[in-house]
Every structure is written in C-alpha cells, then in structure tokens.
Amino acid sequence: MWTDKQRGIRVSQKKLLCKNACGYYGNPAWQGFCSKCWREKARPAEASRQDERPSNDGIPLTFSKFEEKKSTEKGRRINTMRRLFWGSPSPPKPQESSERHANVLKPYQSLEPGDFTGFLKILKSPSSQRLQSRCTAFLNTMEAYHDLPVQKQSDLVQDFFQSFAEYFSSFPEAQVTRIMEHVEKLIMTRLHKWVFCHDRCDDEQKDLALQRRIRSLNWITPEMLSVPFPDKKAAVSGDPFLSAITAIIEMDAKRAPQDKLACVSKCSQHVFEALATSNSEPANADDFLSALVYVVLKANPPRLHSNMQYVIRFGLPHSLMAGESGYYFTNLSCAVAFIEKLDGPALNLSPAEFEGYMLRQRAPSEGKRQQVASDTRHLFEELKGRQEKLDQGMDALNVQLQTWVTAVHSQLDEATAQFALVQKEMAAQGELSQGDLSQGSSSSSHDASPQEDDTDESVLVLTDQHAGTQDTDC
C-alpha cells in the first residue's frame, strides 16, 4: 500500500537481481532471471514440450531418454554452428597453426573501444579472410532461413557469438568483450530487417496494446508519481526530462542491440541529471525509477516492446547481465511492467478516482492543467524552433551543394579549355618540326649538286688530255 510519505516507486534492489542469486541483473521479461539462467531454464522446457509427443511405438519417452535427447539436440546445435564457423565440429587445434593463429589475432589486440571502422578494416584484411568468410556464411544462412521461429533465430545468433568468442579465448575478457561488441553490430545490422518484430510472433500486437495503455495514462502528472520537479521559482524552463524523452524515442531508429542500449543509457543519464537539478536531495533508486516511468509515459516510444525484445533476444548477454547498461535496461523493464499493471493505489488514488481519470470523467487540478499546457506549449515552441533550424540548415546545405556543383563545372570547363590549348600547341609544334626536317633535306640536295658538276668537269679534262696524247703518238 502506498502512503503520502513514500518517495517514488519503491522497488527493492534485490528484486532487480536474478532469482538464481547468480549476481547478475534479472528482467521481468525473463520472469526475474538473468539472460543466462533464463536460457538454461527455457531450453529444457522447450525440449520437454517437444518430447511430450509419444514415440513411434506409442510409448512416452522416459526421463533418461529425455535427457539423452536434450543433450543430443544441444550438441547438434553447437556442432552445426561450429561446422558453419570453423568448417569442422571442433575449433582448430592451436598447435596445428599457432603461428598463423597468432598473426590473425595480432591486429585485434590494438583495436580501440568503439572503433567499428577499424574493426571492419581488420576483418577485411587477408589475414582475417577466414573470419570474414564465416561471418558472411552465417549471414547468408540466416537470411535464407529468415522464416524460422524467432526463438530459434535467437538461439542461432547466440551460439554464433559464443563460437566467435572462442576464437579469441587467449585474449583478456575486456578485449573479447570489445571485439564481440563489434561482431554484434556487424551481424545484427544486417539481420535487423529479418528478425526485428518477426512475423511469427506477437510483438506488433503487444506494441499496439502498450501504446494504447500509455496513451490512456497521459493524465498522470509528476506529482502523482512523486517525481521531484523544479519549483516554479527555479530558473529551469520547460520539462527538465525533455532530453531523456528524446533519447528514449531515438531507440527505435537504431539497428544494433548495443546502439539501442546506448539510447537507454543516455536516457537514464539525462534522468539523473534532471533529478539533480530538480531535487535538493541526492537522487536515489526510487526517484530514478519513478522519473523513468514518467519519461516513458510522456514519450510513448514507438515499438517499445519490440525494441526491448530485440535487445533481449539478440544482444550480448554481458550487456544485459551487468554494468551500467544492464542496470538501466532492467529498470526500464521494471518501468514498463509497472505501467502495464498500474492501478489507483500505486498513484495514491482510490479505485473510484483512478476509474474516473481513466474514463476522462476527472482531470488534474487547474494548476496542474496549466502546468501541462505550459509544458506542451514550451515543447511545441522548442520543436518549432528545431524545425526552423533544420529547414535553415537544409537551405544552407542546398546552397553549398549548388555552389560546389557550379565550381566543379567551372573547373571542368577550365580543364577542358586548357586541354584543348595544349593539344593545339602540341599540333603546332609537330607541324613546325616537320617543316624543319623538310627544309634540311632540301638544303642537303642543293649542296650535293656543285660537287656533281665538279666531278663531271674533271672527267671531261681527263678525257681531253687522253685524246691529245693519242694524237702526239700518231
């Protein structure tokens, strides 16, 4: 039961942890378990449902048969993934190609966090050709069998991540995590259109139901949720949670699970910043969860259920089980679960008052309505200003583009004209060279004629002398 003295939505921090007491964060979508414990719990349950059918001779499977079949199925799935990844049911032995293996791993050791472009360059290098071909083969296989049940697709993706991580088993855990984040972004960016909001699941219907539920609760004010808000005299204009609202809405535009988680983390950080400016006391977990519920109610993010399920099914387990991202995502799941089960006592309202608000027979007080109207007006003005800036930026970009096109055409015309002049100069020089050669040959012929005349004269003189000699002898 809620009292006026309570601050926010009270959720014990122990309830955020896994039911198996493994130390990781649980999630309402996994019935309070972490992703690892939930998969271990869900897979045997799925196998048992398949084994409830009688065998060919009509005799049900015994427990030993069930365990044997379960182990066989798990081994078959892992071997299939390893065969797809390594080309054989088992990873390559280090002693067989230790030097080659070390050469493949060496570039990944210097990979910086968040350097996805650098990761792609390394993956496309000749030394990583085998890893690249395995990724391509897996993507082609998943696209070819995109009509599989979404849970089966999730199992295949998680098994692929595990097989890929085994290749870097000699690395420290932090480096393996960094590499696998790049792998997840590469794989899931390609598979997003095949696995997000899958046709063979009810995510779309649940999205619409959740949006209708949030829309029906748009009358809830921060005071009802005990969310600390700035005083009227404070110099804070508009809704201090506007940045958090914008961040959670942006989640639907991302493709990779880690990018969606980054939006959740960004939203949560903005919530803590808003609480710091709105409350003189340090923000606690109850204040944070209450404020997060308010942000979700105000934002009504598109396809919220599908986005959360996408992260749960295809995100890296360590991102959801521990760390900041795991904590923030667990609180978001708790906030959505709270909204789905929200009733009068949770808002310090009687059942009749709650029903009156839901049926639009009641409305918040005049001051609260004015505050809501003021916030809405401020939000509209801010959005209008952002739209005007966007339009101005587009106009400036168009002008720059036209200027650039004009400059390119001008440079092209100038280069064409220069090229024509160069061609003319080269043609003129060629003609001049031909003229010089012809003149040289003609002058050589003129120089040779006098020599021929002199020779002829010498022959005539010798002939005359020979004739005179003959006359004397006679």
Side-chain angles (χ1 to χ4, degrees), residues 48 51 63 84 110 125 131 184-185 202 218 319 357 371:
S48 64
D51 292 332
F63 180 76
L84 175 65
S110 59
S125 63
L131 294 177
E184 180 216 76
K185 188 169 186 177
D202 57 352
N218 61 358
S319 300
Y357 281 118
Q371 180 66 30

Side-chain angles (χ1 to χ4, degrees), residues 29-260:
W30 300 320
Q31 299 180 5
F33 294 96
C34 67
S35 62
K36 181 180 179 181
C37 296
W38 171 250
R39 290 185 183 277
E40 293 177 355
K41 177 178 180 295
R43 284 178 177 175
E46 181 180 356
S48 64
R49 285 195 298 270
Q50 296 176 355
D51 292 332
E52 284 178 357
R53 295 173 296 180
S55 58
N56 293 334
D57 53 2
I59 303 175
L61 294 172
T62 61
F63 180 76
S64 60
K65 292 284 186 180
F66 162 71
E67 287 294 329
E68 181 181 353
K69 185 172 182 180
K70 181 184 71 172
S71 301
T72 304
E73 175 66 22
K74 183 177 180 180
R76 186 187 299 115
R77 185 175 63 250
I78 294 176
N79 288 337
T80 301
M81 188 55 57
R82 284 178 174 174
R83 187 178 296 107
L84 175 65
F85 189 75
W86 304 115
S88 63
S90 59
K93 296 181 180 180
Q95 60 268 24
E96 294 180 357
S97 56
S98 57
E99 183 177 356
R100 181 181 177 184
H101 187 69
N103 291 334
V104 174
L105 297 182
K106 187 175 181 180
Y108 293 93
Q109 294 177 347
S110 59
L111 193 62
E112 296 293 333
D115 187 10
F116 184 64
T117 304
F119 169 76
L120 293 180
K121 291 181 180 178
I122 297 175
L123 189 64
K124 292 180 180 179
S125 63
S127 61
S128 298
Q129 184 176 3
R130 187 178 187 182
L131 294 177
Q132 181 186 3
S133 62
R134 297 305 178 232
C135 291
T136 303
F138 176 73
L139 289 170
N140 293 336
T141 302
M142 290 293 296
E143 291 179 4
Y145 294 95
H146 62 272
D147 56 345
L148 288 174
V150 67
Q151 189 56 47
K152 184 68 175 178
Q153 291 179 331
S154 173
D155 292 340
L156 290 175
V157 170
Q158 295 298 334
D159 290 339
F160 176 80
F161 288 160
Q162 183 178 356
S163 299
F164 202 102
E166 289 177 0
Y167 195 81
F168 301 91
S169 57
S170 60
F171 279 22
E173 185 178 355
Q175 287 187 347
V176 177
T177 300
R178 189 182 310 152
I179 293 171
M180 291 310 301
E181 287 177 351
H182 296 311
V183 174
E184 180 216 76
K185 188 169 186 177
L186 170 66
I187 297 298
M188 296 315 304
T189 300
R190 282 279 304 273
L191 296 182
H192 178 271
K193 63 180 179 180
W194 301 113
V195 301
F196 182 79
C197 200
H198 200 274
D199 295 337
R200 300 183 64 178
C201 62
D202 57 352
D203 288 347
E204 185 175 359
Q205 289 77 13
K206 290 184 177 180
D207 282 330
L208 295 174
L210 183 58
Q211 282 191 334
R212 287 193 294 267
R213 173 66 173 174
I214 294 176
R215 196 179 302 116
S216 68
L217 297 172
N218 61 358
W219 48 269
I220 294 179
T221 62
E223 291 80 5
M224 293 180 178
L225 294 169
S226 300
V227 178
F229 237 68
D231 298 332
K232 295 180 180 179
K233 297 180 180 180
V236 179
S237 60
D239 194 335
F241 296 98
L242 183 59
S243 299
I245 293 171
T246 304
I248 197 66
I249 291 176
E250 291 175 351
M251 180 173 62
D252 186 59
K254 307 300 181 181
R255 291 189 175 185
Q258 60 179 282
D259 292 337
K260 293 182 182 294

